[in-house]
Amino acid sequence: MKVTLISIPVLNQEKALQFYTETLGFIKKKDMPLEGGNRWITLVSKEAPDGIEILLEPAPLHFEPSKVYQEALMEKGIPYTQFDVDDVDGEYERLVALGVEFSVKPTVMGTFKFAVFNDTCGNNMQIVEML
């Protein structure tokens, strides 16, 4: 058994697609229409194009428990998930220059450094560097 796909709940799939590709640098892998104007949009990392796919899931628009969970995480400042990076400081500077808003600046905690940003689609996301 292995992980091949993770879902990230997003409030607007098109806005999420633009942010995750143009700002974060992910690559669109699949984009197929679904019922109700939704799409099956998956992304992959440039560093691992055959790796785990990220599904931009429109669940908060159609499934109230997903919306409540997403809003609760945002309210508490808890990241929905994390992305590993080689250099948190460098990635932080790159993203700030692109207008990304961080709620937590690069911070060392034990054997890792992290920072938390708003993905503009209803989620806090964390970038992590192992030290």
Side-chain angles (χ1 to χ4, degrees), residues 107-125:
T107 304
V108 174
M109 185 175 286
T111 60
F112 64 95
K113 184 184 286 189
F114 72 99
V116 178
F117 66 90
N118 183 323
D119 77 349
T120 74
C121 306
N123 305 293
N124 287 308
M125 296 302 209

Side-chain angles (χ1 to χ4, degrees), residues 15-80:
K15 183 178 180 182
L17 178 60
Q18 289 176 347
F19 180 81
Y20 279 80
T21 57
E22 295 172 15
T23 304
L24 297 184
F26 288 96
I27 300 167
K28 181 169 63 171
K29 184 151 187 171
K30 296 176 186 146
D31 189 350
M32 299 176 289
L34 299 171
E35 292 180 11
N38 297 310
R39 294 152 57 192
W40 182 267
I41 303 171
T42 67
L43 312 171
V44 291
S45 167
K46 283 190 267 188
E47 292 85 10
D50 294 320
I52 296 171
E53 294 179 50
I54 297 171
L55 172 64
L56 300 178
E57 174 68 58
L61 303 176
H62 310 289
F63 187 59
E64 188 64 24
S66 177
K67 180 180 179 182
V68 170
Y69 179 66
Q70 184 185 40
E71 289 174 351
L73 289 177
M74 278 297 286
E75 182 179 312
K76 293 292 185 184
I78 299 172
Y80 184 81

